[in-house]
Amino acid sequence: MSAKKTKTIKTIKIDVDKCNGCRACEVICSSFHAIPKYSNNNPARSRIRVIHEPLRDVYVPVYAGDYAVAECAGRDKYIIDGKEYDECAFCRAACPSREEFKEPDSGLPLKCDMCEGEEEPLCVKWCLVDALTIEEREVEIDDEEEEKRDEIEIGLESLVNRFGIDKVSDLIAQISKK
Amino acid sequence: MRYAETGFNLEIDLTRGNIEKVASDPRDTELYLGGLGTNAKIIWDRVPPEVEAFSPENLLIFGAGLLCGTPATGCNRTIVSTISPQTKLLAFSMMGGFWAPELKYAGYDKVILRGKSPDLVYIWIKDDKVELRDASHLAGKGSIETAELIREELNEPKAQVAAIGMAGENRVFYASVEQGRSSASRGGIGAVMGDKGVKAIVVRGTKDLNVADPEKYMELCNDVLKYIKHREDNPIPGVMPILAGLGSPQEMKVHDEKWHTENFMWGNSRVRRRDFWNEEVEKEWTETMEKARTRLISCFNCPMKCGATISMPGLPTYMMKCFTKLTYTMGAFSDLDFGLRIAQKATEYGVDGFSAPQVMAFALELLENGILTDKDFPDMPEDNEGRFFYLLDKIVRREGIGDVLADGTYWAAKKIGNGADAYAHNNIKKHEQLPLKLSMLNPVYFLMYATGEKMNITQIEGQFPQAPFATREEREAFVSDWIQVPDEKFKQILLDWEFRGENSNPYYPTVEMACDIVDWQETMHYIDDALGQCAGLSSFPLKPPYHIHNYPEFISAGTGMEMDKDKLTEAAKRYRTLVRAINIRRGMRRKDEKPPANHWKKRFPELEEKLLDEYYKLKGWNKDGIPTRESLQQLGLGYVSEDFLQRGILSKDDEAADQDTAAETSVEA
């Protein structure tokens, strides 16, 4: 049994009960990702969106994740604490069914990068009401799993599996003579 | 390229249905900044004094502040300017919320409405696409209801809506423009919108807004955030809780209402209930609020939670902020449960939370005193609360006596006659004021009430403590980190200010000091009104994060214009003077500049005269409150001076043309 290793993962913790709906996160996100940095801002370009419907008390800050080529087949409803949420409210994908997380001009998908190069994501820094906080946690990882195997090794192994070890070593010997 | 501002206004002629995108002149930004400043310039240029509130030629301008939409925290105000039907002067109410930044992202600084639409319409602005759409199906709908219906029919959940309710449609003189969690309420702006046949202005914007010096601008923004945190952690000791922190008074958060309920007046601003607050009331009101309040909420890009979502059992949800919490309750001598229920209706109808309850209390006082009779109130319920609901309905529909009351206490009293004017006792410049009646004249507040053209004391006061600190130690502690002062002399004034004795009200702060304090406070409010910055993070609270020392840097880094403290102070003085010029041209004079006669018990006529004389002098106005030719020239407002000469408002020798009027109509004690 090999020794367990750990690594640190940074996650943003979202407390929807603390969100005041001010959208400062959208402001600073779009400003940080402007080129040049901070030269403009436009919440429609933000990689975080506060999905909010004040009259129904729905406040969900959600981050842009991976691009989805197709929209979901069924879009379910969740009822949490008596409040109904559209499944899309929690979805991180830029997808064909909605305008979230796409560059307004080009339609290209956007993705949160945790503000690379900054101490912490700026949406967290600008969220003075603490709806967004950063959480670091140690995650145990399997030693074996973690140590990446060489691409050649994986390739060779699959050849051996397919053709048998003798055939593969003969072939290698032939190639090395050339 | 224009920075911080978009450089474009939308000009909409409602009569002809014509819409144009017009580039604004960058020189006007240099001179008048934006927001209120440039609104005032447009109104001076295009709305002569003959034009009345409900003339098609009256303009209704929705102006986003100069820095709205940039990352500057709390910079989100829309400055709505027009001629008020109630005061007949310039109205420039402001609203926070989300509308102004959205307009900037759509690519415009202002929406300028003129003419009148033949049918009820709403305006739909989505980036470059702007259209007038039929709103006949929205007639009579509530302001919040309207916003929801429009978002639904456009399938635009992110659109921001500024709408009027029935009060605006029926031209109630204190109708508001509502925007969900914020409203532009003072001066009857909603009535002008209704008169123009516009139910709502709906905006969605997805464009970039640029700043000139990105790194510097962000540094300034981060400093402001840091200072906000510092102030949150360090409330100011020795002042009442609602003055200790930042933001608008935290009425949605705070349950202890001893101070308001025992110091502000009840009914038609007459009755003080000194022993009102007790444990039982506190328990009941706290319960009411806790049950009703779903969440504390904010405006765009601001951490202060000055508003709340309110759901009363059996009533639609609405949003509330600040002192509307208590105005209906206290107007009706009722409880918080009633106050929150009627405020729901009032918000949907779209009426000002200060004027509406006072007008209703005024009507019932007239009934009590036989000036109005039961015949004037057919089918009115017997119970007190029921009567207020009844009156609110009558007013917003302009039915029966409601039609008279819809003009506010000043005009209603004139129409009713028979001594009714004695009951319209709490007005300045024909507009209902905060229900406060105090004992000793306060020279600073005297000047603010008298000369303020914003019509609401909360939009004029701030910066300087409202009362002295009891001990020398407290004063020294207060001034030790008072970085906001424009001049060190203000620290000394505060250090020497006492509750009793020589250095106390009304003769201390001295006339000269009082003038300086008021000038500082007013200047900060006017700067906020041009930049679109909420007063709650700037001119209203003590020790705010924005002040005269960092504002010039914000403007420079934001817009690219060169700016320093002196230049900014002068710009603010320029458009403040222009606001006054608009009102002077409409007949406002010294005779109109007086707080309600009963605001203070102890009055000092001679001192009050002197205060006005000196303040006018400091402002560059003559004895009648008219800006002098010399001061107008200095501010680059030569065109105002020309106009005043032509109209005989000023004569060549730089004095008021009509000297006699000035002397006769001085302030009454």
Side-chain angles (χ1 to χ4, degrees):
Chain A
M1 183 88 191
S2 58
K4 292 279 182 191
K5 276 191 178 171
T6 61
K7 74 171 179 185
T8 312
I9 294 181
K10 274 189 183 177
T11 47
I12 296 170
K13 197 163 134 190
I14 301 155
D15 186 342
V16 298
D17 289 335
K18 285 188 180 157
C19 180
N20 60 344
C22 80
R23 298 164 59 202
C25 49
E26 297 180 10
V27 171
I28 189 62
C29 176
S30 61
S31 178
F32 176 75
H33 289 101
I35 301 167
K37 194 158 75 173
Y38 305 130
S39 62
N40 65 61
N41 89 99
N42 174 5
R45 273 198 295 100
S46 170
R47 294 144 194 234
I48 176 170
R49 296 293 167 82
V50 183
I51 311 283
H52 71 308
E53 292 173 54
L55 296 179
R56 298 203 300 115
D57 197 43
V58 165
Y59 289 78
V60 188
V62 53
Y63 288 87
D66 283 313
Y67 169 68
V69 283
E71 62 179 34
C72 305
R75 272 174 254 158
D76 305 328
K77 302 269 187 197
Y78 286 79
I79 294 171
I80 304 170
D81 276 347
K83 278 181 270 176
E84 187 179 288
Y85 298 85
D86 199 279
E87 192 178 24
C88 289
F90 304 108
C91 180
R92 299 163 58 99
C95 95
S97 71
R98 62 174 185 182
E99 65 173 41
E100 301 298 342
F101 306 138
K102 287 174 195 159
E103 281 280 357
D105 298 334
S106 62
L108 289 171
L110 298 161
K111 188 180 169 181
C112 169
D113 59 359
M114 304 282 274
C115 295
E116 266 182 59
E118 293 293 314
E119 236 170 77
E120 59 181 337
L122 295 184
C123 53
V124 172
K125 184 176 170 191
W126 275 49
C127 186
L128 297 198
V129 298
D130 289 338
L132 308 175
T133 47
I134 195 93
E135 205 178 56
E136 290 191 355
R137 44 168 214 257
E138 301 287 306
V139 194
E140 282 191 345
I141 41 164
D142 244 336
D143 223 1
E144 288 164 44
E145 207 179 278
E146 182 57 20
E147 267 168 36
K148 271 198 182 157
R149 291 161 69 202
D150 206 86
E151 262 181 55
I152 305 173
E153 193 187 332
I154 298 168
L156 263 181
E157 193 179 75
S158 67
L159 286 173
V160 170
N161 289 344
R162 176 114 162 69
F163 301 104
I165 185 76
D166 294 343
K167 215 164 183 182
V168 174
S169 29
D170 281 355
L171 191 64
I172 290 172
Q174 273 178 39
I175 293 170
S176 51
K177 274 182 199 160
K178 278 184 188 170
Chain B
M1 186 151 102
R2 305 278 278 269
Y3 295 98
E5 56 178 352
T6 67
F8 293 99
N9 295 332
L10 265 182
E11 292 269 2
I12 301 180
D13 181 341
L14 294 156
T15 309
R16 293 165 50 227
N18 187 55
I19 302 169
E20 277 176 60
K21 180 177 177 176
V22 181
S24 58
D25 187 341
R27 279 171 304 181
D28 281 345
T29 311
E30 296 249 2
L31 292 170
Y32 310 97
L33 304 181
L36 171 66
T38 38
N39 280 8
K41 176 68 165 66
I42 292 166
I43 288 193
W44 171 270
D45 286 347
R46 290 166 54 183
V47 187
E50 302 75 38
V51 172
E52 295 184 346
F54 296 145
S55 311
E57 293 78 24
N58 187 14
L59 299 182
L60 175 62
I61 308 177
F62 285 71
L66 180 62
L67 300 181
C68 283
T70 71
T73 294
C75 201
N76 51 41
R77 270 186 165 179
T78 310
I79 295 88
V80 195
S81 311
T82 191
I83 300 304
S84 159
Q86 192 187 38
T87 67
K88 299 181 180 292
L89 304 173
L90 179 70
F92 53 105
S93 199
M94 291 141 301
M95 55 185 174
F98 295 79
W99 198 90
E102 201 71 36
L103 185 71
K104 295 290 258 316
Y105 300 135
Y108 314 97
D109 299 318
K110 294 183 200 295
V111 178
I112 303 167
L113 305 179
R114 65 178 190 276
K116 285 188 196 194
S117 167
D119 304 299
L120 193 64
V121 292
Y122 71 87
I123 299 164
W124 168 222
I125 303 165
K126 185 172 188 183
D127 294 326
D128 293 325
K129 191 188 79 185
V130 183
E131 52 188 44
L132 301 179
R133 294 175 64 105
D134 174 48
S136 52
H137 58 302
L138 300 170
K141 297 271 191 244
S143 63
I144 297 171
E145 198 186 358
T146 296
E148 290 299 296
L149 288 168
I150 290 176
R151 283 193 197 103
E152 215 167 288
E153 76 178 44
L154 294 173
N155 191 24
E156 288 281 353
K158 289 188 195 135
Q160 301 299 337
V161 183
I164 54 168
M166 206 191 286
E169 286 179 53
N170 291 331
R171 309 197 305 183
V172 173
F173 282 11
Y174 39 94
S176 58
V177 177
E178 298 283 333
Q179 193 212 135
R181 71 154 315 294
S182 303
S183 61
S185 296
R186 302 293 276 167
I189 283 165
V192 175
M193 189 154 154
D195 181 64
K196 296 205 170 298
V198 177
K199 181 70 179 170
I201 310 181
V202 188
V203 195
R204 172 74 180 134
T206 64
K207 297 185 189 186
D208 298 348
L209 185 67
N210 303 301
V211 291
D213 184 346
E215 290 292 337
K216 176 72 188 164
Y217 201 77
M218 196 45 65
E219 186 191 316
L220 291 164
C221 290
N222 280 318
D223 287 347
V224 160
L225 280 182
K226 226 186 277 169
Y227 194 78
I228 291 173
K229 270 197 236 172
H230 164 76
R231 283 286 280 105
E232 290 287 277
D233 296 340
N234 298 282
I236 290 168
V239 296
M240 67 182 97
I242 57 163
L243 295 177
L246 296 173
S248 301
Q250 300 291 296
E251 283 296 295
M252 299 297 105
K253 193 162 75 185
V254 172
H255 292 307
D256 181 356
E257 289 294 0
K258 183 180 168 63
W259 187 75
H260 276 131
T261 54
E262 294 187 353
N263 286 288
F264 280 52
M265 298 290 139
W266 294 67
N268 183 24
S269 190
R270 278 190 205 282
V271 180
R272 188 161 169 192
R273 299 167 87 181
R274 281 174 200 272
D275 299 312
F276 174 77
W277 195 251
N278 57 37
E279 260 177 49
E280 199 187 322
V281 176
E282 175 152 23
K283 191 170 164 260
E284 189 193 311
W285 288 27
T286 302
E287 216 165 274
T288 302
M289 195 59 175
E290 294 273 338
K291 262 196 216 155
R293 190 184 63 194
T294 0
R295 186 182 293 257
L296 291 170
I297 53 173
S298 303
C299 294
F300 183 79
N301 191 21
C302 181
M304 309 313 300
K305 294 183 279 191
C306 310
T309 319
I310 304 284
S311 295
M312 294 302 281
L315 293 177
T317 302
Y318 69 108
M319 289 170 266
M320 181 188 253
K321 63 182 182 307
C322 215
F323 198 52
T324 306
K325 176 183 173 187
L326 294 186
T327 53
Y328 291 96
T329 297
M330 292 177 70
F333 287 97
S334 187
D335 57 16
L336 187 59
D337 178 77
F338 162 78
L340 296 184
R341 277 188 293 116
I342 197 168
Q344 185 275 326
K345 277 215 127 168
T347 306
E348 289 282 14
Y349 285 149
V351 286
D352 175 38
F354 280 117
S355 289
Q358 234 170 96
V359 173
M360 295 190 280
F362 156 85
L364 292 175
E365 231 182 34
L366 293 181
L367 175 63
E368 242 169 66
N369 289 280
I371 293 172
L372 289 174
T373 65
D374 287 334
K375 274 190 221 150
D376 295 307
F377 303 90
D379 304 319
M380 183 162 75
E382 290 288 315
D383 67 301
N384 180 41
E385 280 82 6
R387 288 175 159 203
F388 273 78
F389 277 107
Y390 167 95
L391 283 171
L392 181 61
D393 268 345
K394 291 281 168 205
I395 287 168
V396 299
R397 290 170 205 277
R398 278 193 177 273
E399 277 171 10
I401 192 71
D403 189 34
V404 176
L405 297 173
D407 293 352
T409 57
Y410 175 87
W411 297 108
K414 276 212 177 298
K415 262 192 206 155
I416 294 165
N418 201 12
D421 54 346
Y423 298 83
H425 66 102
N426 199 37
N427 297 328
I428 303 175
K429 294 164 189 162
K430 309 182 179 66
H431 198 48
E432 293 81 12
Q433 299 297 314
L434 235 71
L436 261 174
K437 301 292 161 199
L438 302 163
S439 172
M440 174 60 79
L441 179 97
N442 174 324
V444 171
Y445 274 77
F446 169 81
L447 277 178
M448 287 192 291
Y449 277 116
T451 65
E453 280 157 84
K454 271 171 101 173
M455 307 307 183
N456 209 49
I457 193 69
T458 56
Q459 295 299 326
I460 307 167
E461 65 184 347
Q463 307 291 325
F464 200 85
Q466 293 188 11
F469 289 99
T471 65
R472 185 87 194 172
E473 289 70 42
E474 283 175 282
R475 291 171 211 155
E476 274 167 5
F478 185 86
V479 303
S480 67
D481 60 353
W482 202 9
I483 54 168
Q484 290 79 0
V485 289
D487 190 299
E488 291 296 307
K489 69 183 171 194
F490 291 102
K491 293 183 179 173
Q492 198 55 48
I493 299 175
L494 189 74
L495 285 171
D496 297 339
W497 194 17
E498 310 265 1
F499 272 113
R500 274 169 206 85
E502 230 172 78
N503 281 2
S504 71
N505 285 345
Y507 293 108
Y508 191 97
T510 64
V511 170
E512 192 191 334
M513 291 170 186
C515 289
D516 285 341
I517 292 168
V518 174
D519 186 53
W520 168 28
Q521 303 194 123
E522 189 181 70
T523 301
M524 295 319 296
H525 276 285
Y526 272 78
I527 293 173
D528 287 346
D529 298 345
L531 304 185
Q533 177 60 50
C534 174
L537 283 181
S538 179
S539 44
F540 180 75
L542 298 166
K543 298 186 181 173
Y546 293 99
H547 42 77
I548 194 66
H549 306 294
N550 63 1
Y551 261 155
E553 295 185 280
F554 264 99
I555 296 169
S556 294
T559 66
M561 295 190 300
E562 267 178 52
M563 191 55 70
D564 56 37
K565 186 179 148 195
D566 292 341
K567 208 176 155 194
L568 177 57
T569 308
E570 196 191 28
K573 188 170 184 186
R574 180 178 300 116
Y575 57 81
R576 195 275 170 264
T577 306
L578 196 54
V579 166
R580 168 141 296 229
I582 290 168
N583 289 335
I584 290 290
R585 204 163 65 162
R586 294 188 159 263
M588 189 189 78
R589 294 291 185 274
R590 182 181 187 128
K591 66 181 161 41
D592 302 300
E593 306 229 280
K594 45 184 182 188
N598 58 3
H599 188 84
W600 295 281
K601 253 196 210 112
K602 293 174 197 157
R603 296 291 287 261
F604 299 80
E606 257 176 58
L607 173 64
E608 291 172 24
E609 289 301 297
K610 211 167 163 217
L611 280 162
L612 273 186
D613 285 346
E614 290 308 308
Y615 189 65
Y616 283 178
K617 234 185 259 169
L618 176 72
K619 291 293 216 184
W621 309 337
N622 69 17
K623 282 220 162 218
D624 211 12
I626 304 167
T628 63
R629 286 173 65 204
E630 193 192 354
S631 71
L632 288 167
Q633 293 295 348
Q634 269 171 10
L635 291 166
L637 298 175
Y639 57 90
V640 172
S641 166
E642 292 288 303
D643 186 89
F644 280 180
L645 284 176
Q646 264 173 28
R647 290 177 190 272
I649 293 170
L650 285 178
S651 65
K652 288 272 181 207
D653 61 1
D654 204 12
E655 286 295 327
D658 196 350
Q659 279 287 333
D660 292 341
T661 321
E664 262 169 35
T665 53
S666 52
V667 173
E668 296 146 23

